[in-house]
Amino acid sequence: MSSEPPATNDEEPTVTCSELLEQIEDEEEELDRERALYGNCDVDTCTYSQGYVRRQALFTCMTCSKNEQSIGMCAACAYHCHANHDVNELYTKRFFRCDCGNTKSGHQPCKLYLNKDPENTLNKYNDNFRGIYCTCKRPYPDKESTTSDDEMIQCIICEDWFHSQHLGVSLPMEENETNQMDMICQACVTEYPFLAFYDEIRGMITPPAENNATACLLSSSEKNDQFHTIFLRDGWRRRLCRCEQCSKLYDELKLTPIFDDADSIQEYEKQALAKSENLDGDKILADSLENLGYTQKLEVLRGINEFKKTLGDFLREKANGDGVLTAQDVTTFFAGLQEKRQERQRTMFMPPDNCKF
């Protein structure tokens, strides 16, 4: 007969060191995504003075959107002026000027930039500013959705977001998962029919390696009146026809800025990541400590160093043992830190904060 006690459902939950590392890596990946989206944001300065920003992360305030008025604001205003409001993220949108504090926001003043124009006449608003998306005109996330597949894809022209199952076509299956693809919705292809010729997935047109500026690439292409959602491979802007006739058409339709490589979300994220990676962590810490008293600074720095050393010793000890962490292990670790700090306070003389020496 086995002497081992029977297993119960009340056993201590455990996590291996490798599982802990995987969780940390997942958190770092999520942080990278946030940095790619918000790395260009200054959360203390309104972007209004920059005019109609080429691309920026935008937010809309449902609390201030009265009488079907759509309002969009920069990250700084969402943080400082609408902190306790019902605010929705809009990801990024192009050529938009912050509405916070103008007539669209009612009596809600902007705390960061006074005396704004009553209205930003060049701003464009779609259903997203009212909290609905896609052809189904539903919110995101949709709490009433009956399917778990809630993937959303943004059209690069109208910048609305669409459920993958509402695009009218199947998603392309790319062998190389790192290959970025852009989507143009059916409504935009219908509005700008020439875009249908660039549906590379269906091979409707294959521009030559060197684009001849005098010859139109579309002149010999077969006309197609069947307009549907299209997908474009990375680098598609460089393969667009740039003949005189097409270039003039892009200008007339106000599509020229969209057809510039600098407009791509990939370029925006690249710049945002570069900006966030250049942040000096030591400088941020130094700035945070600047207003503290001398003894408070010593305590903070001592605590940081002690935590790093204790955590390293703790993880090495566990890795050299059975490699398993339990919830009790984590509780014991932090309790030990607190006990050490209290013991130091009892045995060590600490001068008052206003002591000058």
Side-chain angles (χ1 to χ4, degrees):
M1 179 180 296
S2 172
S3 60
E4 295 182 0
T8 68
N9 293 331
D10 297 328
E11 290 182 353
E12 181 72 24
T14 63
V15 57
T16 65
C17 289
S18 60
E19 289 173 335
L20 178 61
L21 289 174
E22 287 179 3
Q23 293 177 12
I24 293 174
E25 290 174 355
D26 289 342
E27 291 293 331
E28 289 177 343
E29 289 179 3
E30 181 63 28
L31 180 60
D32 283 341
R33 286 191 286 269
E34 294 295 323
R35 286 167 52 223
L37 178 57
Y38 299 116
N40 275 334
C41 295
D42 182 346
V43 295
D44 294 317
T45 305
C46 177
T47 61
Y48 183 83
S49 62
Q50 301 175 32
Y52 294 87
V53 181
R54 176 154 195 155
R55 183 182 288 280
Q56 65 176 314
L58 281 184
F59 301 79
T60 185
C61 182
M62 307 307 293
T63 304
C64 295
S65 298
K66 305 297 184 181
N67 301 320
E68 297 298 316
Q69 285 270 49
S70 296
I71 175 177
M73 72 198 74
C74 65
C77 286
Y79 179 75
H80 288 280
C81 307
H82 302 261
N84 298 319
H85 293 184
D86 181 12
V87 174
N88 289 348
E89 296 181 64
L90 296 176
Y91 196 56
T92 69
K93 292 190 182 295
R94 60 173 73 92
F95 301 116
F96 199 93
R97 197 175 198 184
C98 181
D99 280 329
C100 178
N102 67 15
T103 55
K104 282 182 169 290
S105 59
H107 299 290
Q108 173 73 22
C110 179
K111 300 177 182 179
L112 304 178
Y113 196 105
L114 302 177
N115 302 320
K116 293 182 177 180
D117 290 341
E119 185 177 355
N120 297 314
T121 57
L122 298 183
N123 279 354
K124 293 183 179 180
Y125 308 87
N126 60 15
D127 287 337
N128 300 172
F129 289 85
R130 296 189 291 115
I132 56 177
Y133 305 84
C134 190
T135 56
C136 61
K137 307 300 182 186
R138 297 294 301 167
Y140 181 86
D142 189 353
K143 296 180 180 179
E144 298 180 6
S145 176
T146 57
T147 175
S148 59
D149 182 11
D150 208 23
E151 181 181 3
M152 300 286 280
I153 304 175
Q154 188 180 36
C155 172
I156 63 171
I157 303 294
C158 68
E159 298 188 296
D160 193 2
W161 289 83
F162 297 83
H163 296 101
S164 57
Q165 65 267 33
H166 295 160
L167 291 174
V169 297
S170 300
L171 294 178
M173 300 299 293
E174 286 294 300
E175 294 181 4
N176 183 2
E177 294 181 355
T178 63
N179 189 17
Q180 299 287 338
M181 298 199 74
D182 288 327
M183 184 272 290
I184 302 179
C185 70
Q186 182 177 7
C188 287
V189 176
T190 303
E191 184 175 358
Y192 309 112
F194 72 92
L195 290 173
F197 292 107
Y198 292 98
D199 187 7
E200 300 173 72
I201 299 302
R202 290 157 183 80
M204 295 182 64
I205 184 171
T206 305
E210 294 186 3
N211 192 340
N212 187 336
T214 62
C216 181
L217 299 175
L218 307 183
S219 58
S220 59
S221 301
E222 181 180 351
K223 184 178 181 181
N224 189 341
D225 295 326
Q226 300 298 318
F227 302 124
H228 50 72
T229 298
I230 67 174
F231 294 89
L232 301 170
R233 291 186 177 90
D234 187 29
W236 63 269
R237 290 174 174 85
R238 294 188 294 273
R239 296 189 290 273
L240 284 173
C241 181
R242 301 292 180 177
C243 74
E244 182 178 351
Q245 180 179 349
C246 285
S247 296
K248 182 179 180 180
L249 177 64
Y250 304 156
D251 286 338
E252 292 173 349
L253 297 175
K254 302 186 185 313
L255 294 174
T256 299
I258 302 175
F259 292 163
D260 187 334
D261 279 337
D263 179 73
S264 70
I265 187 62
Q266 292 86 1
E267 182 61 26
Y268 172 87
E269 292 180 345
K270 178 181 176 181
Q271 293 177 8
L273 283 172
K275 182 176 180 179
S276 63
E277 287 171 352
N278 287 333
L279 293 176
D280 188 337
D282 291 336
K283 183 177 184 303
I284 294 174
L285 176 60
D287 291 343
S288 300
L289 294 174
E290 185 175 355
N291 295 323
L292 294 179
Y294 178 77
T295 56
Q296 291 175 312
K297 290 180 183 178
L298 288 179
E299 273 297 282
V300 171
L301 293 172
R302 188 196 304 274
I304 292 173
N305 289 331
E306 182 179 285
F307 176 78
K308 289 166 63 177
K309 181 180 184 303
T310 307
L311 179 60
D313 292 342
F314 170 72
L315 291 177
R316 279 191 294 271
E317 180 182 350
K318 296 302 296 183
N320 292 331
D322 55 13
V324 174
L325 291 175
T326 67
Q328 184 59 44
D329 289 331
V330 176
T331 300
T332 301
F333 170 74
F334 284 102
L337 281 181
Q338 180 68 12
E339 184 178 345
K340 287 181 180 179
R341 184 173 185 275
Q342 291 174 348
E343 178 64 22
R344 186 172 64 253
Q345 290 174 338
R346 286 193 300 266
T347 60
M348 178 180 177
F349 168 72
M350 294 296 294
D353 292 338
N354 60 357
C355 180
K356 307 293 184 183
F357 69 92

